[in-house]
């Protein structure tokens, strides 16, 4: 997991130095946040223990328990390829969303836990997701639904 993240960062750095990718600081920060919150290519997910561990490990239980989060179990290149599909409308009305079918684990807070000991229920599936993409080339920056 960490090795894949390092490889992705090194590739992004190399492409940036070659001038093939020119992310703005804000877009890069949003992309990194997307990776931290939603991408786990090595994971299989599917159970409550997975959600409890990953939500804490990915720092989504520090100030308060994040109510809902989705982890995508696909290679980052497969996720980035969703950005090349037809634009659709996001929940906020913008037209920078794209949809694709991926393996996911949805983590839902049980409602009875308190930070930092947040507790989650897991649901693993293969389903349609919608992500917002920005930049040139477009990269995922927000999990819309």
């Amino acid at each position: 997991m960490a090795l894949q993240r390092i490889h992705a960062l090194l590739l992004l750095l190399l492409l940036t130095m070659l001038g093939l990718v020119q992310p703005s600081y804000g877009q890069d920060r949003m992309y990194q946040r997307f990776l931290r919150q939603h991408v786990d290519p090595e994971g299989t997910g599917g159970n409550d223990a997975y959600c409890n561990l990953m939500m804490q490990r990915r720092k989504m239980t520090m100030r308060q328990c994040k109510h809902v989060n989705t982890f995508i179990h696909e290679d980052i290149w497969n996720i980035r390829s969703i950005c090349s599909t037809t634009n659709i409308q996001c929940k906020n009305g913008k037209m920078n969303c794209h949809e694709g079918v991926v393996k996911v684990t949805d983590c839902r807070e049980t409602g009875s836990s308190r930070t930092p000991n947040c507790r989650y229920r897991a649901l693993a599936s293969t389903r349609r997701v919608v992500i917002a993409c920005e930049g040139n080339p477009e990269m995922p920056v927000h999990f819309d639904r």
Side-chain angles (χ1 to χ4, degrees), residues 6 8 11 39 78 80 103 124:
I6 291 170
L11 181 60
V39 179
N78 291 344
R80 285 183 63 174
K103 292 177 284 195

Side-chain angles (χ1 to χ4, degrees), residues 8-9 25 41 46 52 70 79 82 92 105 107-108 119 125 127 132 139 143:
L9 290 173
Y25 177 72
N52 293 335
T70 301
I79 299 168
I82 294 171
N92 67 5
T105 298
C107 301
R108 290 192 180 276
R119 294 290 165 244
S125 64
R127 68 173 176 87
M139 298 194 302
F143 189 94

Side-chain angles (χ1 to χ4, degrees), residues 112-138:
S112 60
S113 59
R114 297 287 176 255
T115 190
N117 298 313
C118 303
R119 294 290 165 244
Y120 293 87
R121 294 271 181 256
L123 178 62
S125 64
T126 299
R127 68 173 176 87
R128 182 182 72 93
V129 297
V130 176
I131 59 174
C133 302
E134 293 181 359
N136 187 16
E138 285 193 308

